[in-house]
Amino acid sequence: MPVLGAILVPHPPILLPQIGRGQERGVQATIEAYRMAAQRAADWQPEVLIITSPHTVMYADYFHISPNRGASGNMSAFGAAEIRLYAVYDEELRQEVIRQAEEADIQAGTLGERDAALDHGTFLPLYFLQEAGVTCPILRIGLSGFSPLEHYRLGRCIARAVAVLGRRAVFVASGDLSHKLKDDGPYGYAPEGPVFDQRVTQAMSEGDFLQFLTLDYNLCGRAAECGLRSFQIMAGVLDGLAVQPDLLSYEGTFGVGYAVAVFPVTGPDENRRFAQCCEEAERARLAERKAAEDPWVRLARLSLETFVRTGKRLEKLPEHLPTELTNRAAGAFVSLHLHGQLRGCIGTTGPTAESVAWEIVQNAVSAGTGDPRFTPVEPQELDQLEYSVDILGEAEAVKALGDLDVKQYGVIVSCGGRRGLLLPDLEGVDSVGQQIEIARQKGGIGAKEPYTLERFEVVRHT
């Protein structure tokens, strides 16, 4: 059986004593479990390691596979340049994975490498594996903005490529868990952090890989997770295979979750094919969400779907809209998400149309087809899009930073005729300083330029 098993490991540089300088003692259980997992992998005598890392090259719409014959890396970014590694790439396997991905209509390949050096998400697993005596070639693959199912499908392509070439392969899923476990941690605390870690570690201990594919996007985003998509690819690599799950350790000492788990393959198991279950769960989730949409969101959906499918803008409003939509004017933002990732967001800070309804109609089309950060929405994406609509209150001057609250108020940063706006209560925006900085950059306002601040409240519809 070419796929021998998988190991799931974190990648905090602090595990290395030259970097931790004593702090590594706070995660000693992780270090010991890491060495145990590496030794288990060495005992399988692999001919190739396939490593997925959140910190190598990553694109929203492409899986990047590292090119060239090999790569080196060091820990100079963490103050330990003397720790160096070199890895040889399995070029034949790389080409076969790309071929399998092409046949499966998955966008994957070697284009667009920005930095050839081994990233720390690859370096840390290799450090422990080489310490355990593993010296075989590797394949390094990045994550993407694609759906959980697409990551799973890439994993199946990897497994097929391994089988075609007859390689004895071990898959290495590199990834930390939540970064939001403690108030005094480097990223602060969110209640979703411990919930996320509890659910994924339970999935690891039970070998329930379907959980990796069906976790709520909002939970994952607010938990600031790192490695879930690595785990989703791992689930695809182990598609149709029985495993003996072994969660060796879990720690959150420094406010970031570190888990180490081992999944040796014990034979085939047709009951462990999760793609169809994942598809069914996602369809049910989207249908439930769509059924719960209020008139504001339904109008945004109708507007964009009409334009994308017919090329024409909505000419008439639906009947029986609430008077709040038709009898007043206000600025509005329409945001689109696909597979938990932003797919477009366009809005107006004040009214530009005769009513809120027409404001939403025009901004929904702009969000789907005119956001310069994204390509226009394609017809096949429409059924998978999730919408939110923010209706803006009147802006008021901010006299002191204490008047701002990232959860309650959006902010407008102005300098001359330039303005940058950021909505309130956005995922990943946790401080007033961060909120102002993002809005300033959006407005093209330099760091040393004087600016004024305004705040506004919104009514959010999802």
Side-chain angles (χ1 to χ4, degrees), residues 38-62:
Q39 188 56 58
R40 296 270 290 274
D43 292 343
W44 296 336
Q45 299 180 346
E47 296 172 335
V48 64
L49 300 172
I50 299 125
I51 304 176
T52 52
S53 168
H55 296 287
T56 185
V57 180
M58 178 176 170
Y59 292 102
D61 56 356
Y62 188 74

Side-chain angles (χ1 to χ4, degrees), residues 16 31 34-35 38-39 42 85 125-135:
L16 306 181
I31 295 171
Y34 219 131
R35 290 197 169 113
Q39 188 56 58
L85 291 178
L126 273 181
Y127 177 90
F128 284 96
L129 285 159
Q130 290 187 4
E131 182 183 67
V134 180
T135 59

